[in-house]
mmCIF file of all heavy atoms in Angstrom:
data_model
loop_
_atom_site.group_PDB
_atom_site.id
_atom_site.type_symbol
_atom_site.label_atom_id
_atom_site.label_comp_id
_atom_site.label_asym_id
_atom_site.label_seq_id
_atom_site.Cartn_x
_atom_site.Cartn_y
_atom_site.Cartn_z
ATOM 1 N N GLY A 30 -66.784 -143.309 92.148
ATOM 2 C CA GLY A 30 -66.452 -142.395 91.079
ATOM 3 C C GLY A 30 -65.328 -142.892 90.199
ATOM 4 O O GLY A 30 -64.819 -144.001 90.378
ATOM 5 N N SER A 31 -64.927 -142.052 89.249
ATOM 6 C CA SER A 31 -63.896 -142.402 88.281
ATOM 7 C C SER A 31 -62.826 -141.327 88.220
ATOM 8 O O SER A 31 -63.067 -140.159 88.532
ATOM 9 C CB SER A 31 -64.503 -142.569 86.884
ATOM 10 O OG SER A 31 -65.436 -143.636 86.849
ATOM 11 N N LEU A 32 -61.650 -141.748 87.782
ATOM 12 C CA LEU A 32 -60.520 -140.850 87.625
ATOM 13 C C LEU A 32 -59.619 -141.423 86.540
ATOM 14 O O LEU A 32 -59.503 -142.653 86.413
ATOM 15 C CB LEU A 32 -59.758 -140.750 88.944
ATOM 16 C CG LEU A 32 -59.004 -139.474 89.312
ATOM 17 C CD1 LEU A 32 -59.941 -138.271 89.336
ATOM 18 C CD2 LEU A 32 -58.349 -139.643 90.675
ATOM 19 N N ARG A 33 -58.994 -140.560 85.755
ATOM 20 C CA ARG A 33 -58.029 -141.014 84.761
ATOM 21 C C ARG A 33 -56.674 -140.390 85.028
ATOM 22 O O ARG A 33 -56.534 -139.163 85.049
ATOM 23 C CB ARG A 33 -58.473 -140.675 83.337
ATOM 24 C CG ARG A 33 -57.560 -141.315 82.285
ATOM 25 C CD ARG A 33 -58.008 -141.065 80.861
ATOM 26 N NE ARG A 33 -57.703 -139.715 80.412
ATOM 27 C CZ ARG A 33 -57.650 -139.344 79.133
ATOM 28 N NH1 ARG A 33 -57.899 -140.225 78.173
ATOM 29 N NH2 ARG A 33 -57.382 -138.090 78.822
ATOM 30 N N LEU A 34 -55.672 -141.244 85.222
ATOM 31 C CA LEU A 34 -54.308 -140.795 85.419
ATOM 32 C C LEU A 34 -53.562 -140.817 84.091
ATOM 33 O O LEU A 34 -53.803 -141.675 83.244
ATOM 34 C CB LEU A 34 -53.575 -141.694 86.416
ATOM 35 C CG LEU A 34 -54.226 -141.894 87.785
ATOM 36 C CD1 LEU A 34 -53.318 -142.743 88.669
ATOM 37 C CD2 LEU A 34 -54.529 -140.556 88.442
ATOM 38 N N SER A 35 -52.641 -139.875 83.923
ATOM 39 C CA SER A 35 -51.809 -139.813 82.733
ATOM 40 C C SER A 35 -50.343 -139.821 83.138
ATOM 41 O O SER A 35 -49.976 -139.319 84.203
ATOM 42 C CB SER A 35 -52.096 -138.543 81.926
ATOM 43 O OG SER A 35 -53.428 -138.517 81.465
ATOM 44 N N CYS A 36 -49.509 -140.388 82.295
ATOM 45 C CA CYS A 36 -48.064 -140.400 82.505
ATOM 46 C C CYS A 36 -47.404 -140.033 81.189
ATOM 47 O O CYS A 36 -47.480 -140.793 80.221
ATOM 48 C CB CYS A 36 -47.602 -141.772 82.985
ATOM 49 S SG CYS A 36 -45.809 -141.956 83.104
ATOM 50 N N ALA A 37 -46.764 -138.871 81.157
ATOM 51 C CA ALA A 37 -46.086 -138.387 79.965
ATOM 52 C C ALA A 37 -44.601 -138.722 80.045
ATOM 53 O O ALA A 37 -43.954 -138.452 81.054
ATOM 54 C CB ALA A 37 -46.279 -136.883 79.821
ATOM 55 N N ALA A 38 -44.062 -139.303 78.974
ATOM 56 C CA ALA A 38 -42.671 -139.734 78.936
ATOM 57 C C ALA A 38 -41.863 -138.909 77.948
ATOM 58 O O ALA A 38 -42.378 -138.467 76.917
ATOM 59 C CB ALA A 38 -42.581 -141.212 78.558
ATOM 60 N N SER A 39 -40.591 -138.725 78.262
ATOM 61 C CA SER A 39 -39.673 -138.048 77.357
ATOM 62 C C SER A 39 -38.262 -138.571 77.579
ATOM 63 O O SER A 39 -37.982 -139.224 78.588
ATOM 64 C CB SER A 39 -39.702 -136.534 77.564
ATOM 65 O OG SER A 39 -39.284 -136.193 78.876
ATOM 66 N N GLY A 40 -37.360 -138.303 76.634
ATOM 67 C CA GLY A 40 -35.954 -138.654 76.781
ATOM 68 C C GLY A 40 -35.480 -139.846 75.960
ATOM 69 O O GLY A 40 -34.329 -139.896 75.556
ATOM 70 N N ARG A 41 -36.345 -140.816 75.725
ATOM 71 C CA ARG A 41 -36.041 -141.999 74.934
ATOM 72 C C ARG A 41 -37.256 -142.350 74.089
ATOM 73 O O ARG A 41 -38.345 -141.824 74.317
ATOM 74 C CB ARG A 41 -35.667 -143.188 75.818
ATOM 75 C CG ARG A 41 -34.437 -142.983 76.682
ATOM 76 C CD ARG A 41 -33.165 -143.254 75.923
ATOM 77 N NE ARG A 41 -32.005 -143.243 76.805
ATOM 78 C CZ ARG A 41 -30.758 -143.397 76.403
ATOM 79 N NH1 ARG A 41 -30.501 -143.588 75.109
ATOM 80 N NH2 ARG A 41 -29.762 -143.366 77.278
ATOM 81 N N THR A 42 -37.067 -143.267 73.160
ATOM 82 C CA THR A 42 -38.178 -143.709 72.329
ATOM 83 C C THR A 42 -39.200 -144.446 73.195
ATOM 84 O O THR A 42 -38.918 -145.507 73.742
ATOM 85 C CB THR A 42 -37.694 -144.614 71.198
ATOM 86 O OG1 THR A 42 -36.730 -143.915 70.410
ATOM 87 C CG2 THR A 42 -38.849 -145.032 70.303
ATOM 88 N N PHE A 43 -40.390 -143.867 73.310
ATOM 89 C CA PHE A 43 -41.418 -144.372 74.206
ATOM 90 C C PHE A 43 -41.797 -145.811 73.900
ATOM 91 O O PHE A 43 -41.971 -146.627 74.808
ATOM 92 C CB PHE A 43 -42.638 -143.454 74.130
ATOM 93 C CG PHE A 43 -43.767 -143.835 75.035
ATOM 94 C CD1 PHE A 43 -43.634 -143.754 76.408
ATOM 95 C CD2 PHE A 43 -44.981 -144.258 74.505
ATOM 96 C CE1 PHE A 43 -44.684 -144.088 77.247
ATOM 97 C CE2 PHE A 43 -46.033 -144.591 75.329
ATOM 98 C CZ PHE A 43 -45.888 -144.506 76.704
ATOM 99 N N SER A 44 -41.910 -146.137 72.626
ATOM 100 C CA SER A 44 -42.361 -147.468 72.238
ATOM 101 C C SER A 44 -41.337 -148.568 72.531
ATOM 102 O O SER A 44 -41.649 -149.750 72.375
ATOM 103 C CB SER A 44 -42.740 -147.497 70.751
ATOM 104 O OG SER A 44 -41.623 -147.164 69.944
ATOM 105 N N ASN A 45 -40.133 -148.221 72.960
ATOM 106 C CA ASN A 45 -39.132 -149.213 73.342
ATOM 107 C C ASN A 45 -39.410 -149.826 74.711
ATOM 108 O O ASN A 45 -38.760 -150.797 75.091
ATOM 109 C CB ASN A 45 -37.731 -148.594 73.371
ATOM 110 C CG ASN A 45 -37.150 -148.387 71.993
ATOM 111 O OD1 ASN A 45 -37.691 -148.858 70.993
ATOM 112 N ND2 ASN A 45 -36.033 -147.681 71.936
ATOM 113 N N TYR A 46 -40.362 -149.265 75.452
ATOM 114 C CA TYR A 46 -40.577 -149.659 76.837
ATOM 115 C C TYR A 46 -41.967 -150.199 77.101
ATOM 116 O O TYR A 46 -42.967 -149.672 76.614
ATOM 117 C CB TYR A 46 -40.341 -148.461 77.763
ATOM 118 C CG TYR A 46 -38.941 -147.915 77.686
ATOM 119 C CD1 TYR A 46 -38.622 -146.899 76.791
ATOM 120 C CD2 TYR A 46 -37.941 -148.432 78.498
ATOM 121 C CE1 TYR A 46 -37.328 -146.410 76.703
ATOM 122 C CE2 TYR A 46 -36.643 -147.945 78.417
ATOM 123 C CZ TYR A 46 -36.340 -146.933 77.521
ATOM 124 O OH TYR A 46 -35.058 -146.453 77.442
ATOM 125 N N ALA A 47 -42.014 -151.279 77.885
ATOM 126 C CA ALA A 47 -43.260 -151.648 78.524
ATOM 127 C C ALA A 47 -43.529 -150.619 79.623
ATOM 128 O O ALA A 47 -42.591 -150.057 80.196
ATOM 129 C CB ALA A 47 -43.164 -153.051 79.127
ATOM 130 N N MET A 48 -44.795 -150.359 79.909
ATOM 131 C CA MET A 48 -45.157 -149.352 80.897
ATOM 132 C C MET A 48 -46.052 -149.956 81.966
ATOM 133 O O MET A 48 -46.830 -150.874 81.694
ATOM 134 C CB MET A 48 -45.874 -148.178 80.233
ATOM 135 C CG MET A 48 -45.063 -147.459 79.164
ATOM 136 S SD MET A 48 -43.590 -146.617 79.823
ATOM 137 C CE MET A 48 -44.343 -145.407 80.906
ATOM 138 N N GLY A 49 -45.943 -149.419 83.170
ATOM 139 C CA GLY A 49 -46.761 -149.934 84.253
ATOM 140 C C GLY A 49 -47.159 -148.867 85.248
ATOM 141 O O GLY A 49 -46.582 -147.776 85.289
ATOM 142 N N TRP A 50 -48.178 -149.201 86.027
ATOM 143 C CA TRP A 50 -48.630 -148.368 87.142
ATOM 144 C C TRP A 50 -48.499 -149.157 88.439
ATOM 145 O O TRP A 50 -48.843 -150.348 88.492
ATOM 146 C CB TRP A 50 -50.082 -147.927 86.963
ATOM 147 C CG TRP A 50 -50.288 -146.885 85.906
ATOM 148 C CD1 TRP A 50 -50.649 -147.086 84.615
ATOM 149 C CD2 TRP A 50 -50.158 -145.471 86.077
ATOM 150 N NE1 TRP A 50 -50.753 -145.886 83.959
ATOM 151 C CE2 TRP A 50 -50.455 -144.875 84.828
ATOM 152 C CE3 TRP A 50 -49.825 -144.643 87.152
ATOM 153 C CZ2 TRP A 50 -50.424 -143.496 84.632
ATOM 154 C CZ3 TRP A 50 -49.796 -143.274 86.958
ATOM 155 C CH2 TRP A 50 -50.090 -142.718 85.715
ATOM 156 N N PHE A 51 -48.021 -148.484 89.476
ATOM 157 C CA PHE A 51 -47.882 -149.046 90.811
ATOM 158 C C PHE A 51 -48.484 -148.062 91.800
ATOM 159 O O PHE A 51 -48.683 -146.889 91.477
ATOM 160 C CB PHE A 51 -46.410 -149.298 91.144
ATOM 161 C CG PHE A 51 -45.744 -150.290 90.236
ATOM 162 C CD1 PHE A 51 -45.336 -149.926 88.957
ATOM 163 C CD2 PHE A 51 -45.521 -151.596 90.651
ATOM 164 C CE1 PHE A 51 -44.720 -150.833 88.109
ATOM 165 C CE2 PHE A 51 -44.903 -152.519 89.819
ATOM 166 C CZ PHE A 51 -44.511 -152.138 88.550
ATOM 167 N N ARG A 52 -48.759 -148.528 93.004
ATOM 168 C CA ARG A 52 -49.290 -147.624 94.018
ATOM 169 C C ARG A 52 -48.748 -147.996 95.394
ATOM 170 O O ARG A 52 -48.371 -149.131 95.650
ATOM 171 C CB ARG A 52 -50.820 -147.636 94.035
ATOM 172 C CG ARG A 52 -51.440 -148.949 94.482
ATOM 173 C CD ARG A 52 -52.949 -148.918 94.293
ATOM 174 N NE ARG A 52 -53.584 -150.134 94.773
ATOM 175 C CZ ARG A 52 -54.875 -150.410 94.632
ATOM 176 N NH1 ARG A 52 -55.674 -149.548 94.009
ATOM 177 N NH2 ARG A 52 -55.367 -151.543 95.108
ATOM 178 N N GLN A 53 -48.727 -147.003 96.273
ATOM 179 C CA GLN A 53 -48.270 -147.226 97.632
ATOM 180 C C GLN A 53 -49.127 -146.415 98.593
ATOM 181 O O GLN A 53 -49.214 -145.197 98.476
ATOM 182 C CB GLN A 53 -46.799 -146.853 97.801
ATOM 183 C CG GLN A 53 -46.231 -147.219 99.162
ATOM 184 C CD GLN A 53 -44.723 -147.106 99.208
ATOM 185 O OE1 GLN A 53 -44.123 -146.317 98.478
ATOM 186 N NE2 GLN A 53 -44.102 -147.892 100.074
ATOM 187 N N ALA A 54 -49.755 -147.102 99.531
ATOM 188 C CA ALA A 54 -50.543 -146.471 100.573
ATOM 189 C C ALA A 54 -49.688 -146.327 101.827
ATOM 190 O O ALA A 54 -48.732 -147.085 102.018
ATOM 191 C CB ALA A 54 -51.789 -147.299 100.872
ATOM 192 N N PRO A 55 -50.011 -145.383 102.709
ATOM 193 C CA PRO A 55 -49.236 -145.210 103.939
ATOM 194 C C PRO A 55 -49.152 -146.502 104.742
ATOM 195 O O PRO A 55 -50.166 -147.171 104.965
ATOM 196 C CB PRO A 55 -50.017 -144.141 104.698
ATOM 197 C CG PRO A 55 -50.700 -143.356 103.629
ATOM 198 C CD PRO A 55 -51.078 -144.372 102.591
#
């Protein structure tokens, strides 16, 4: 199947940052 994750940012200018996704399993 498929899933889409979203990450909403606030507090600073969003375009100033590179963005990434990480994961951790037990």
Side-chain angles (χ1 to χ4, degrees):
S31 297
L32 210 58
R33 188 177 76 161
L34 306 183
S35 298
C36 174
S39 62
R41 299 277 188 183
T42 302
F43 182 67
S44 61
N45 284 350
Y46 299 91
M48 300 295 297
W50 287 96
F51 298 78
R52 67 187 183 186
Q53 187 168 28

